């Protein structure tokens, strides 16, 4: 693998980190009946313009998988060299499946659609768990490897991992309280978006950091 190819794989992380949130927020802010505060990111894969988020999630997952491959080539051996990229690849698979298999209507979106749990919705939930758990675990696992660069990098990576899962867990609680009528409208959507934003900001930061490091041409190894 040449240095140019490796840089392209690492750069895929930057592209994914920018593309995913940008399209989610732009679409959510302009989608009739959708609330960034109330509705989860997955709800944009239903209703009007659902095709846009199908492409966004699928392409974002493929880019994340490419970044995981590049990360594996850079780390080679040592702490996190296997589990870090593997967990990112798990998140990438979850993202692709979440794009291809839509979630169920919920919290009044899409408007007028009946709510309920379907097989498609259950598959989407499992994919979402793989996404959030994979991103969170990868950040925590790679924190030890990043400590070789600086303690600041290690702290940032570990904090990002904890925030990803904390925001996702809080989003689930808010969603449950909303469906039970105890908090309406609950900020389930905002919390889920914050979890995704934290994860993709971490990916952008790590990818950019690795791109700035001198990496010898893999063909010479």
């Amino acid at each position: 693998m040449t240095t140019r190819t490796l840089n392209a794989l690492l750069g895929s992380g930057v592209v994914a980190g920018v593309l995913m949130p940008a399209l989610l927020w732009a679409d959510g802010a302009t989608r009739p009946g959708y609330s960034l505060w109330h509705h989860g990111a997955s709800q944009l894969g239903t209703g009007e313009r659902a095709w846009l988020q199908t492409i966004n999630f699928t392409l974002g997952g493929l880019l994340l998988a490419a970044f995981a491959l590049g990360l594996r080539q850079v780390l080679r051996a040592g702490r996190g060299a296997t589990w870090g990229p593997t967990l990112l690849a798990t998140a990438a698979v979850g993202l692709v499946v979440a794009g291809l298999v839509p979630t169920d209507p919920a919290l009044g979106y899409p408007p007028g659609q009946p709510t309920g749990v379907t097989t498609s919705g259950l598959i989407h939930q499992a994919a979402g768990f793989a996404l959030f758990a994979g991103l969170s675990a990868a950040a925590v696992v790679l924190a030890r490897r990043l400590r070789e660069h600086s303690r600041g990098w290690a702290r940032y990576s570990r904090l990002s991992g904890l925030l990803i899962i904390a925001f996702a867990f809080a989003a689930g609680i808010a969603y449950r309280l909303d469906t039970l009528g105890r908090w309406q409208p609950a900020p389930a959507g905002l919390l889920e978006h914050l979890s995704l934003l934290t994860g993709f900001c971490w990916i952008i930061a790590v990818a950019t950091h690795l791109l700035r490091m001198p990496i010898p041409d893999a063909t010479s190894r």
Side-chain angles (χ1 to χ4, degrees):
M1 182 181 293
T2 65
T3 300
R4 180 176 296 180
T5 300
L6 183 55
N7 285 339
L9 292 174
L10 294 176
S12 296
V14 178
V15 177
V18 173
L19 176 70
M20 281 291 301
L23 282 180
L24 280 172
W25 295 340
D27 190 24
T30 58
R31 184 85 71 92
Y34 182 86
S35 168
L36 290 168
W37 169 275
H38 194 204
H39 301 116
S42 294
Q43 298 302 132
L44 290 170
T46 63
E48 183 182 344
R49 298 203 304 257
W51 60 270
L52 178 60
Q53 293 310 319
T54 297
I55 294 174
N56 189 22
F57 276 60
T58 304
L59 180 57
L62 294 175
L63 289 168
L64 184 56
F67 173 66
L69 178 59
L71 183 64
R72 182 69 180 91
Q73 292 297 315
V74 171
L75 298 182
R76 305 292 287 182
R79 292 177 175 177
T82 298
W83 277 108
T86 299
L87 289 166
L88 279 177
T90 300
V93 171
L95 195 53
V96 171
V97 174
L100 297 177
V101 183
T103 190
D104 296 318
L107 301 179
Y109 191 86
Q113 294 292 321
T115 59
V117 180
T118 66
T119 300
S120 175
L122 291 174
I123 294 174
H124 188 95
Q125 288 179 25
F129 176 80
L131 169 61
F132 290 107
L135 282 177
S136 175
V140 172
V141 166
L142 289 173
R144 296 182 65 188
R145 183 61 177 266
L146 290 170
R147 187 170 182 173
E148 297 175 3
H149 299 237
S150 75
R151 290 186 178 181
W153 269 107
R155 293 192 189 99
Y156 169 65
S157 189
R158 191 174 294 109
L159 178 61
S160 294
L162 294 176
L163 286 177
I164 290 167
I165 203 66
F167 281 135
F169 187 71
I173 294 176
Y175 174 83
R176 183 61 176 168
L177 291 174
D178 199 313
T179 58
L180 292 174
R182 296 178 181 176
W183 186 6
Q184 292 180 325
L190 175 64
L191 291 166
E192 185 179 276
H193 282 290
L194 285 174
S195 179
L196 288 172
L197 178 62
T198 302
F200 282 105
C201 282
W202 173 77
I203 290 171
I204 292 172
V206 172
T208 302
H209 177 63
L210 293 176
L211 284 167
R212 290 175 176 173
M213 291 177 57
I215 301 173
D217 195 316
T219 59
S220 64
R221 295 179 181 178

